[in-house]
Amino acid sequence: MIKNKNTVAQDFDIELQEPQLNILLTTDEDDDRPVYISGNFNHWHTQDLAFEMEKIGNGLYHYKFAHDFVYPDELLYKFTKGDWSEVEIDQYGNRTENRVCKQHKGVRKEHVDKWRKNWLPFKQNFLPKVHLISEEFEIPQLNKTRRVWALLPHDYEQSNETYPVLYLQDAQNLFNEKAKYGNWEIDKKLAVMSEYKIGKIIIIAVEHAEQDRIKEYNVGKTVLGVGQGKKYIRFITDTLKPFVDKTFRTKTEREQTGIGGSSMGGLVSIFSGLMYPEVYGKLMIFSPSLWVVPKMDFTHIDFSEPSDTKIYLYAGGDESATMIEHVKKFKKRMIENEFVSSKMKIKLSINMQGKHNETYWSDEFPKAIEWLFFNTKD
């Protein structure tokens, strides 16, 4: 029988005699999602398993710091349900300030009124600045033009900072409220992340080729025929990136440059990283169409020059009969390469309820951004 949270809290006052700091959290809203502590002691990482709280009752959680934990002068922290889309908020839906603690032992009681859900609410003044680079950006490699967008940090014009850059495919479905199949809502996700002073990044969004989308994202000769993917990748790398680096305040190093997408957009992003490992140090790969190239072999690829590549690989269990199998096999084949296993980090995220659509990619986007660019621990 699970006790009432107030009764259990009283019991803890009596039972906890350890010299370590114990945090006892009560919340008015509860569900099956785990609760994590994120703070200045773990680079504000929101899914740090070392700081996952133990659920000991309805709306009641406990965490005990390790005996050898090195306390900062002031312990600054917040509680989340997994990422900044699910962080604690006050009873009115407002952002809460960082919690501050100077205790090194005993029991500290905390309370959360509510949690963000699906990134709501978000503040308009933190939305990124959406800049249309060109209605007809020239793609000389394909003799075409395309609309290309830049999403700049909300305070870009008021600062002199430089920023990492992520190139994303399928711009039509990234922040367009009128998108036929929904959108990733990356503008709203970035707004919430910026409110918490994380996630400052430039997103370059390239629209797909409409009826020629598959052909343009198809690399080499596959089950879909001969594609134009290699030419498209050269456009992003040899034409678009130099323009972006010249036009905006970017961090140009490979460690600060990423590329990504979903479905066929994810597949062409994989090949971008394989063709230009000296350019792309981060790959955001959602539900890649690996069935197009079932015999993809990585064991002979030369990754010997660049290091510290990170790949965030996501798949949904309700996408197709083979999606999970394909992504697991992809990861296995990658790490069979001796260099990859020692120099490349691959995070595999699987949502068994996930479907092949923008809603689930939207949920995964901030988690991928945080792990790829702003988490220095994993």
Side-chain angles (χ1 to χ4, degrees):
M1 178 178 177
I2 295 179
K3 294 183 179 182
N4 175 278
K5 63 185 177 184
N6 293 325
T7 303
V8 177
Q10 292 171 0
D11 291 347
F12 261 68
D13 282 345
I14 298 172
E15 295 174 2
L16 288 175
Q17 302 296 329
E18 293 97 335
Q20 298 99 306
L21 173 63
N22 291 263
I23 294 182
L24 198 59
L25 172 69
T26 57
T27 179
D28 294 333
E29 291 185 345
D30 202 15
D31 51 45
D32 294 332
R33 293 171 298 171
V35 173
Y36 300 89
I37 306 175
S38 171
N40 61 344
F41 47 86
N42 70 342
H43 303 280
W44 296 96
H45 182 25
T46 55
Q47 296 182 64
D48 192 336
L49 295 178
F51 294 95
E52 180 178 348
M53 303 191 77
E54 176 190 10
K55 186 170 186 175
I56 56 176
N58 291 324
L60 182 63
Y61 295 82
H62 168 248
Y63 184 82
K64 179 169 68 175
F65 285 86
H67 67 89
D68 58 350
F69 178 77
V70 179
Y71 293 88
D73 292 338
E74 286 188 330
L75 201 65
L76 305 178
Y77 58 97
K78 279 187 169 71
F79 301 104
T80 83
K81 287 276 190 175
D83 64 50
W84 298 110
S85 71
E86 303 168 310
V87 71
E88 60 170 291
I89 51 179
D90 69 17
Q91 60 181 317
Y92 306 107
N94 296 316
R95 171 184 181 271
T96 59
E97 295 301 320
N98 293 335
R99 297 172 184 267
V100 182
C101 176
K102 294 185 177 181
Q103 284 180 243
H104 291 183
K105 59 183 179 179
V107 179
R108 183 176 180 86
K109 296 180 180 179
E110 301 280 24
H111 181 77
V112 169
D113 292 307
K114 294 182 178 181
W115 307 88
R116 284 192 191 275
K117 294 179 181 178
N118 299 323
W119 294 92
L120 298 174
F122 69 93
K123 300 291 195 309
Q124 292 281 341
N125 56 310
F126 285 101
L127 285 170
K129 305 297 182 183
V130 180
H131 173 73
L132 177 61
I133 293 178
S134 175
E135 285 275 2
E136 298 182 326
F137 198 101
E138 291 190 10
I139 307 178
Q141 294 82 353
L142 293 169
N143 195 27
K144 297 179 180 178
T145 62
R146 192 68 41 76
R147 285 210 298 181
V148 179
W149 305 80
L151 278 71
L152 307 173
H154 72 281
D155 58 352
Y156 181 87
E157 295 172 353
Q158 286 77 46
S159 82
N160 293 314
E161 294 181 62
T162 56
Y163 304 94
V165 183
L166 174 64
Y167 294 83
L168 287 180
Q169 321 313 321
D170 294 315
Q172 291 96 325
N173 303 326
L174 297 180
F175 54 92
N176 179 8
E177 294 290 346
K178 298 179 181 179
K180 184 177 181 180
Y181 301 106
N183 76 91
W184 293 24
E185 298 186 309
I186 65 172
D187 51 344
K188 298 175 184 176
K189 308 300 172 73
L190 291 169
V192 176
M193 296 181 80
S194 291
E195 188 177 353
Y196 290 95
K197 297 180 172 34
I198 60 171
K200 283 194 173 184
I201 187 171
I202 293 175
I203 305 290
I204 302 299
V206 184
E207 293 198 342
H208 61 66
E210 300 293 348
Q211 67 271 18
D212 287 333
R213 175 180 179 271
I214 299 298
K215 182 190 297 184
E216 204 165 270
Y217 289 169
N218 187 27
V219 180
K221 187 175 182 180
T222 71
V223 299
L224 296 176
V226 179
Q228 300 175 329
K230 290 183 179 179
K231 293 181 180 180
Y232 175 79
I233 292 169
R234 284 197 288 270
F235 156 66
I236 298 291
T237 309
D238 299 336
T239 303
L240 183 58
K241 184 181 188 300
F243 174 86
V244 168
D245 289 338
K246 181 179 179 181
T247 306
F248 303 105
R249 300 194 306 275
T250 65
K251 294 181 178 178
T252 61
E253 306 87 351
R254 65 175 302 277
E255 294 81 7
Q256 302 292 340
T257 304
I259 191 166
S262 60
S263 195
M264 286 296 293
L267 186 64
V268 77
S269 298
I270 290 174
F271 278 103
S272 299
L274 298 181
M275 286 176 61
Y276 293 96
E278 73 279 8
V279 176
Y280 303 108
K282 320 285 189 187
L283 305 182
M284 180 186 290
I285 311 300
F286 292 172
S287 309
S289 300
L290 293 168
W291 60 272
V292 173
V293 280
K295 296 183 180 181
M296 187 185 294
D297 182 11
F298 307 104
T299 56
H300 303 297
I301 295 174
D302 181 15
F303 286 102
S304 58
E305 183 62 30
S307 61
D308 299 325
T309 295
K310 298 179 77 173
I311 300 177
Y312 191 99
L313 182 62
Y314 164 79
D318 198 19
E319 295 194 47
S320 71
T322 58
M323 177 60 76
I324 301 299
E325 179 185 351
H326 277 310
V327 296
K328 287 183 176 179
K329 187 176 293 185
F330 169 82
K331 180 180 179 181
K332 182 175 182 292
R333 286 178 175 174
M334 287 292 282
I335 62 178
E336 284 175 351
N337 182 297
E338 182 179 353
F339 174 80
V340 171
S341 63
S342 62
K343 297 290 188 179
M344 184 177 287
K345 297 175 183 176
I346 304 176
K347 183 177 179 66
L348 176 59
S349 175
I350 295 176
N351 178 355
M352 291 309 298
Q353 286 71 50
K355 301 181 186 297
H356 196 80
N357 63 39
E358 280 70 20
T359 298
Y360 291 94
W361 300 327
S362 175
D363 289 342
E364 207 68 23
F365 172 76
K367 301 173 187 178
I369 285 281
E370 182 179 2
W371 184 80
L372 286 170
F373 289 94
F374 303 103
N375 174 21
T376 59
K377 291 190 66 179
D378 293 343

